[in-house]
Amino acid sequence: MDFGLFMFPTDQTIGPIELAERAEEAGFESLWFPEHSHIPTSRATPWGGVKGAAPLPEWYWRTHDAFVALGAVAARTDRLRLGTGITLVPQRDPIWLAKEVATLDYLSGGRVIFGVGYGWNKEEMASHGVDYKARRAMLREKVLLMKSLWTEEVASFDGDLFDLEPSWAWPKPIQRPHPPIILGAAAGPKSIAAMVEFCDGWMPLATRHELGERVEQVRSALSEAGRDPDAFNISAYSVKPELERLHELDRLGVNRAVFSLPQKGREEALAAIDRLTALVADFRG
């Protein structure tokens, strides 16, 4: 099992470059940054779309742009994989997004993991002209359009929502056929269908989403569709830093555990990395 770290990098936390350098030095496989373009002050949608949720933390509207931050990280690291956790694809222009992902993968030597998600903040989506009810269909078509740009000499796409006339687009990603696409969502029937159709992995939120039976359901759906479940990556996100939990995830066949770092200052983040490094060492024995 691989191990990654996650943080909202902001103007109030440790800098993303120092964080990445320490993560690579400590032997972590990947570093994951999320994104939010902005948070409307109306705050009409509760945190995560969950009724009765706590107030939304300030770091949601202070976070850096994920691709700019990961580009800086790529320039100062050699092995660390660069994860988006997650990219809000429905809010993004797919042609520009395909260019950003391909460029980051090319310049980093093929280290991108493209985490994608539907999004939950209705008013944030509305600012981007996105209908919340259309977000699943939009993500699907945008990802398929991006795949065309990454893999075809002359790319094109003809969808119900989006079209791309025959076009040239370079650079192509170094990873072939493209960086792994990991869906961050609960594994309901619609999300499982999406994983089977156009994803290379699943990223459940370990503190909220059910894993046990869902892991088997995802694998069964992949097998039924003629895909190899062993080639499909399962990355548990926001994993509780406990040895017993790591062994439980390992027994389930989870491929990667991603730990959340505290949204505090430099010293707290570095201390947390030291604790997690020791935990991983205990797990590996």
Side-chain angles (χ1 to χ4, degrees), residues 246-263:
L246 298 186
H247 285 297
E248 178 186 0
L249 294 174
D250 191 43
R251 287 192 294 271
L252 288 173
V254 168
N255 305 101
R256 177 186 293 113
V258 180
F259 301 110
S260 297
L261 293 173
Q263 290 294 144

Side-chain angles (χ1 to χ4, degrees), residues 119-237:
W120 56 266
N121 192 312
K122 295 178 182 179
E123 55 271 26
E124 180 183 354
M125 289 185 191
S127 295
H128 293 277
V130 174
D131 177 359
Y132 179 78
K133 293 180 181 179
R135 69 196 191 285
R136 290 179 181 272
M138 292 181 73
L139 181 142
R140 175 184 177 273
E141 287 205 5
K142 288 184 178 185
V143 168
L144 294 176
L145 188 157
M146 287 188 284
K147 283 191 173 189
S148 175
L149 287 165
W150 292 331
T151 61
E152 298 173 11
E153 293 287 309
V154 177
S156 63
F157 184 75
D158 181 16
D160 295 327
L161 301 174
F162 303 101
D163 295 298
L164 177 69
E165 68 173 292
S167 301
W168 295 307
W170 267 263
K172 302 299 185 187
I174 285 182
Q175 296 181 84
R176 295 297 185 186
H178 49 71
I181 300 167
I182 313 293
L183 180 64
K190 292 180 181 178
S191 293
I192 291 177
M195 292 180 216
V196 170
E197 181 186 7
F198 58 82
C199 295
D200 306 294
W202 173 39
M203 186 165 58
L205 186 59
T207 55
R208 184 189 304 169
H209 300 151
E210 180 186 350
L211 272 76
E213 292 184 5
R214 297 297 188 188
V215 169
E216 291 307 316
Q217 289 174 5
V218 169
R219 287 182 176 141
S220 295
L222 291 162
S223 294
E224 290 171 7
R227 293 187 57 183
D228 179 6
D230 292 334
F232 191 84
N233 184 281
I234 297 178
S235 301
Y237 211 59

